[in-house]
Amino acid sequence: MPHELDKILISSSQPDFVERCTKIRAGVFSATHFDSRDKREDQLDAILNDVGQRDDEAVAEYTEKFDGVKLTSEQFRVSNEDLEKAHNELNSELLKSIRQAIKNVKEYQKEIFICNKKANQHPGIKYTPIKRVGICVPGASAPLPSTVIMTAVPAQVAGVEEIVVVSPPRYKGSIHPVILAVCKELGINEVYRIGGAQAVLALARGTKTIRNVDKIVGPGNAWVQNAKKKVLGLVGIDSIAGPSEVLIIANEKANPSWIAADMLSQAEHAPGSAVVLTDSQKLAVEVLEQLKNQVMQLNRAEETIKCLEEFGGIFVFDNMEDVIDYANVFAAEHLQIQCGEQSGDIAEKIKNAGAIFIGDFSPVALGDYWAGPSHALPTGRTAKFFSALSANDFIKSTSIIEYDKEMLAKSAEDIIRLAEVEGLDAHAKSVKIRQEQ
């Protein structure tokens, strides 16, 4: 009896192979971005305009409408007492794990921070931390304390003075206690129980209750991400992140059971993209069988199957060179390579990916919670030009230019010549006048 997932296995010999590959990539992209023909675009504009005009009143109304929680503006902010209570009630073993995860992320971020490098001693540039940053923490389907760690710790390493967390009140009319506990552990005391597009604009423009920030980072649904895109320029943003995705490159040496488990770890997000690229027909069939068995053991089996049908695939290519080429076109958020001793060499050929997980024992969950790099990653092929969030995203550079009289005199004729060819006489004269004295 055919299974719903049988159709996600497709070989390069099949006539619709390229079309299927392209369709999945386009589907992941469109799940992130609203276009001008999408009615949600008009609805988003209406929300942002309303919040811009009616301030906290509109934020409260949309919180009630979308989250089912009625709050006054005075109730937006989580009290220090609630933060302290959540921290005190946290399971001791969980707190131990959280503290080690924080330590791992902090150590990694310090090592890659540009201000620890020689560039910061160059006389021609100055790096300054962004002063105030807003972090969006999703709360719709499950509590995500790891998102607080993966966004706030890099900001703290960079020296950000003020960190603001917003998250929708989806847990008993407030934010899940484990998220609040992590905020308290990190010393973040400005936390608001608001989410969605209304929270993004509140952070970007400021309201009577919430002071505006300089940059907004963090994941969220399509409404949050498109709102971030709308306020870009008013504030900075990290990237426009869509549904979680994994692309797995595997050969005949890979473990099909592990690959299926890795696919499901992303597909269970629903939406979430899970794609395998291989040069082995035998492995592809084995992965499919494992996938069909394992998916039925999940609590959300039906939703996950639908997600795999729409955003999943097991693609068999003629050779590994073609696999690598397509992986670079796909530009996945998470890219796993399970090709035995060839894994490292293949990783060297990957140019576009948010994060690369090399070898059989490097599942995406390692990056999500523990290894040190932030799990805030570019999705929907934006890994071609966006990077993983890091401490370096929370600083800005200022150019420093200082010439003395002799240095300017030596360069004056060239500068004047360049200014005059552009027809900018005043530019040229600002140099000439200094040579006449």
Side-chain angles (χ1 to χ4, degrees):
M1 180 177 178
H3 191 279
E4 302 101 305
L5 292 179
D6 286 340
K7 59 187 176 184
I8 75 168
L9 194 160
I10 183 167
S11 301
S12 58
S13 58
Q14 294 176 240
D16 61 343
F17 180 75
V18 174
E19 181 184 347
R20 287 283 302 280
C21 292
T22 303
K23 183 179 179 181
I24 287 179
R25 201 73 200 107
V28 173
F29 181 83
S30 63
T32 309
H33 300 267
F34 298 165
D35 62 37
S36 58
R37 297 164 295 177
D38 192 327
K39 66 178 182 180
R40 294 176 299 175
E41 178 80 3
D42 294 334
Q43 294 170 346
L44 176 62
D45 286 338
I47 293 170
L48 298 180
N49 290 334
D50 195 20
V51 173
Q53 292 173 11
R54 297 195 299 123
D55 208 63
D56 286 334
E57 182 184 355
V59 173
E61 287 185 13
Y62 288 115
T63 299
E64 182 176 8
K65 179 178 180 179
F66 297 127
D67 299 314
V69 178
K70 189 171 184 176
L71 299 172
T72 64
S73 58
E74 291 79 13
Q75 294 173 317
F76 289 166
R77 185 165 178 172
V78 177
S79 68
N80 286 329
E81 291 77 14
D82 285 346
L83 292 169
E84 189 73 44
K85 181 175 183 290
H87 190 272
N88 290 339
E89 294 178 354
L90 196 64
N91 175 278
S92 60
E93 289 300 312
L94 177 57
L95 179 59
K96 181 181 177 182
S97 298
I98 287 170
R99 285 175 171 167
Q100 186 60 52
I102 290 170
K103 184 174 183 287
N104 294 348
V105 175
K106 189 174 294 185
E107 289 178 352
Y108 173 86
Q109 296 296 331
K110 284 181 177 179
E111 288 176 3
I112 67 168
F113 190 36
I114 194 170
C115 290
N116 293 332
K117 309 297 181 182
K118 290 182 179 179
N120 201 40
Q121 281 99 50
H122 193 286
I125 195 165
K126 174 183 178 181
Y127 292 103
T128 308
I130 294 171
K131 184 178 181 181
R132 185 169 166 83
V133 168
I135 294 173
C136 298
V137 179
S141 58
L144 296 176
S146 59
T147 294
V148 182
I149 297 171
M150 294 295 183
T151 50
V153 172
Q156 290 178 332
V157 168
V160 174
E161 293 180 10
E162 301 174 19
I163 297 175
V164 184
V165 170
V166 296
S167 188
R170 296 293 182 87
Y171 181 84
K172 298 180 180 179
S174 188
I175 299 170
H176 197 284
V178 71
I179 294 175
L180 300 182
V182 173
C183 288
K184 186 64 179 178
E185 178 69 21
L186 291 171
I188 300 170
N189 296 313
E190 192 173 352
V191 182
Y192 297 95
R193 49 173 71 88
I194 59 172
Q198 63 270 23
V200 172
L201 193 66
L203 289 174
R205 292 192 56 171
T207 71
K208 295 182 182 69
T209 302
I210 304 168
R211 286 195 298 117
N212 64 294
V213 301
D214 303 309
K215 187 168 188 173
I216 300 173
V217 303
N221 61 21
W223 294 91
V224 169
Q225 296 306 315
N226 282 277
K228 284 167 61 180
K229 183 166 65 173
K230 294 277 188 180
V231 300
L232 176 60
L234 184 61
V235 294
I237 64 171
D238 49 353
S239 65
I240 304 162
S244 186
E245 56 189 41
V246 64
L247 181 71
I248 304 169
I249 296 176
N251 63 13
E252 73 284 351
K253 296 182 179 180
N255 185 317
S257 176
W258 296 357
I259 292 175
D262 291 341
M263 292 180 72
L264 293 173
S265 74
Q266 301 306 306
E268 73 174 349
H269 283 291
S273 175
V275 174
V276 172
L277 309 181
T278 183
D279 59 354
S280 169
Q281 180 72 29
K282 178 176 180 293
L283 177 76
V285 172
E286 291 172 343
V287 169
L288 179 62
E289 290 307 308
Q290 284 291 331
L291 200 61
K292 290 190 288 188
N293 290 334
Q294 292 184 32
V295 74
M296 300 312 298
Q297 301 171 27
L298 300 178
N299 293 330
R300 303 174 66 198
E302 185 177 346
E303 296 93 330
T304 304
I305 288 172
K306 289 179 180 178
C307 185
L308 285 168
E309 288 179 301
E310 186 172 2
F311 299 120
I314 303 171
F315 295 103
V316 183
F317 287 77
D318 293 333
N319 53 66
M320 192 54 66
E321 287 72 25
D322 289 346
V323 166
I324 294 168
D325 287 344
Y326 184 70
N328 280 318
V329 172
F330 201 92
E333 175 190 18
H334 306 103
L335 188 140
Q336 293 182 257
I337 304 174
Q338 299 181 42
C339 295
E341 67 276 5
Q342 295 180 340
S343 297
D345 292 337
I346 291 172
E348 289 294 322
K349 298 176 182 178
I350 299 299
K351 306 301 180 185
N352 302 319
I356 302 174
F357 298 78
I358 303 173
D360 292 343
F361 296 94
S362 301
V364 168
L366 186 66
D368 282 344
Y369 302 109
W370 200 251
S374 176
H375 73 202
L377 300 168
T379 68
R381 74 182 180 223
T382 61
K384 291 183 177 181
F385 46 84
F386 279 134
S387 305
L389 187 71
S390 77
N392 297 317
D393 291 298
F394 296 99
I395 56 173
K396 54 191 178 63
S397 63
T398 303
S399 300
I400 306 295
I401 302 167
E402 182 181 9
Y403 272 40
D404 59 23
K405 182 177 180 180
E406 289 73 24
M407 292 171 68
L408 181 61
K410 184 178 179 180
S411 306
E413 288 187 9
D414 292 309
I415 298 169
I416 291 167
R417 193 174 294 118
L418 290 168
E420 287 180 342
V421 78
E422 293 185 352
L424 299 175
D425 294 346
H427 281 64
K429 288 177 182 178
S430 72
V431 176
K432 288 178 182 179
I433 197 170
R434 286 170 167 78
Q435 308 309 305
E436 295 168 354
Q437 296 180 354

